[in-house]
């Protein structure tokens, strides 16, 4: 009897979990919209790049090493003109009325670091295609480590800003709880808004502190450290997780797509 019940329950769960035709179509259309963006191409390539890094560390198969290097080079071309775009993002951040003075400064440091990273990455791209043959292995490694330092300086302001955001939202949540006797509908809207902002801040903080920060430290290490299989494996895993988070964050919001 219990076997039959469990079987029926599992079958019902499986049927409920299977997406409908309309849901599959919606996902397909969302993927089309997503694929038409630069960030989609970059983060998807990043996910495969870090997967290859992880598998290269685990298996030591040169196929995964070649895939990792090819994807790394291809992603460098996606950063062309990014420093110019960063200037506009900095201007927008300084004029954003939703940010206080400290948040504006942290955001500017984040964006400026990203822009400097992209500018230096033009040089690393030139070196990878043979345009700087005078550089020896040590000089190339130093150039890569300088490049990744600006990824590190991009991550630290994000951790600071999102930690501060979580603390502020916590205080707002306490004030909300103290006003439980007020208008219920308005209170519920406030709760939903605060919860959504808290979830977003937590995800950004997790991505920056747990995934991106260790990876940036990995890339600033000497080549002898980066060539060890165990370090390739954990860095690849964290990079894959960060890439999947970025894809999820930038996925088109659910809406009617024609």
């Amino acid at each position: 009897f219990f076997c039959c019940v469990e079987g029926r329950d599992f079958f019902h769960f499986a049927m409920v979990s299977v997406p409908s035709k309309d849901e599959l179509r919606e996902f397909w259309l969302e993927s089309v919209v997503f694929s038409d963006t630069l960030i989609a191409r970059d983060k998807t390539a990043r996910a495969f790049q870090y997967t290859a890094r992880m598998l290269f560390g685990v298996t030591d198969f040169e196929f995964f090493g070649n895939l990792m290097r090819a994807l790394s080079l291809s992603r460098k071309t996606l950063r062309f003109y990014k420093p110019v775009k960063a200037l506009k993002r900095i201007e927008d951040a300084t004029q954003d009325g939703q940010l206080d003075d400290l948040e504006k400064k942290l955001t500017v440091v984040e964006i400026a670091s990203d822009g400097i990273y992209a500018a230096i990455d033009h040089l690393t791209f030139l070196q990878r295609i043979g345009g700087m043959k005078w550089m020896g292995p040590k000089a190339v490694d130093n150039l890569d480590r300088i490049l990744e330092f600006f990824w590190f300086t991009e991550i630290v302001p994000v951790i600071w800003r999102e930690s501060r955001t979580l603390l502020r939202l916590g205080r707002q949540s306490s004030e909300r709880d103290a006003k439980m006797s007020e208008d219920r509908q308005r209170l519920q809207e406030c709760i939903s808004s605060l919860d959504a902002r808290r979830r977003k801040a937590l995800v950004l903080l997790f991505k920056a502190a747990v995934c991106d920060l260790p990876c940036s430290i990995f890339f600033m290490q000497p080549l002898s450290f980066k060539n060890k299989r165990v370090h390739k494996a954990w860095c690849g895993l964290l990079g894959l997780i960060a890439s999947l988070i970025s894809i999820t964050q930038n996925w088109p919001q659910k809406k009617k797509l024609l």
Side-chain angles (χ1 to χ4, degrees):
F1 171 76
F2 289 107
C3 291
C4 292
V5 171
E6 291 176 358
R8 287 198 299 270
D9 289 344
F10 176 78
F11 178 75
H12 175 70
F13 174 77
M15 290 298 292
V16 171
S17 300
V18 174
S20 66
K21 183 178 179 181
D22 290 340
E23 289 173 333
L24 288 174
R25 176 176 173 77
E26 182 180 34
F27 177 80
W28 169 54
L29 292 175
E30 288 174 350
S31 71
V32 171
V33 173
F34 180 65
S35 67
D36 201 31
T37 63
L38 176 63
I39 195 167
R41 292 188 285 274
D42 180 43
K43 299 308 178 183
T44 302
R46 186 179 192 266
F48 283 106
Q49 176 192 347
Y50 276 89
T51 300
R53 183 181 298 277
M54 178 182 65
L55 294 176
F56 188 32
V58 172
T59 67
D60 205 27
F61 290 167
E62 192 59 31
F63 168 80
F64 294 119
N66 292 334
L67 176 60
M68 175 190 71
R69 287 184 285 270
L71 289 170
S72 175
L73 183 62
S74 68
R75 290 184 63 220
K76 291 180 185 298
T77 64
L78 299 178
R79 301 187 184 111
F80 291 167
Y81 206 71
K82 194 174 184 180
V84 178
K85 183 179 178 181
L87 294 175
K88 182 63 172 69
R89 291 176 60 205
I90 289 175
E91 181 184 58
D92 293 342
T94 57
Q95 298 175 358
D96 190 343
Q98 295 181 341
L99 302 176
D100 62 28
D101 290 340
L102 180 55
E103 287 173 330
K104 288 180 180 179
K105 292 177 182 177
L106 292 172
T107 303
V108 166
V109 173
E110 174 198 358
I111 298 171
S113 297
D114 186 35
I116 295 172
Y117 180 101
I120 298 175
D121 210 24
H122 288 55
L123 296 178
T124 65
F125 175 80
L126 182 62
Q127 186 277 323
R128 297 297 194 271
I129 62 174
M132 302 170 70
K133 294 183 178 180
W134 53 269
M135 296 185 69
K138 181 66 174 177
V140 173
D141 184 41
N142 287 336
L143 176 62
D144 289 343
R145 292 167 69 184
I146 292 172
L147 171 72
E148 301 303 340
F149 171 76
F150 287 98
W151 187 22
F152 176 81
T153 60
E154 176 189 354
I155 295 167
V156 172
V158 175
I159 295 174
W160 188 349
R161 185 186 62 221
E162 298 308 323
S163 298
R164 191 167 175 268
T165 298
L166 283 173
L167 291 174
R168 185 180 70 250
L169 291 174
R171 291 194 299 269
Q172 291 178 357
S173 179
S174 299
E175 294 172 0
R176 175 202 67 193
D177 293 339
K179 299 179 180 179
M180 288 293 291
S181 59
E182 295 184 2
D183 183 11
R184 293 287 178 177
Q185 182 177 358
R186 184 178 178 183
L187 182 62
Q188 188 59 44
E189 293 175 355
C190 180
I191 292 174
S192 299
S193 176
L194 286 175
D195 288 344
R197 290 161 61 191
R198 185 184 295 109
R199 284 194 299 271
K200 181 180 179 181
L202 278 171
V203 170
L204 289 173
L205 183 59
F206 173 84
K207 176 180 175 295
V210 178
C211 299
D212 290 340
L213 184 61
C215 286
S216 70
I217 294 174
F218 164 87
F219 284 113
M220 288 191 293
Q221 301 308 306
L223 195 59
S224 58
F225 179 92
K226 291 181 285 189
N227 282 338
K228 291 184 178 179
R229 291 174 57 185
V230 63
H231 298 317
K232 293 178 185 176
W234 66 255
C235 180
L237 176 61
L238 293 180
L240 172 60
I241 294 172
S243 301
L244 295 177
I245 290 174
S246 295
I247 290 173
T248 302
Q249 289 178 322
N250 291 279
W251 195 264
Q253 296 296 317
K254 288 187 176 181
K255 57 184 179 180
K256 187 174 181 180
L257 299 173
L258 300 178

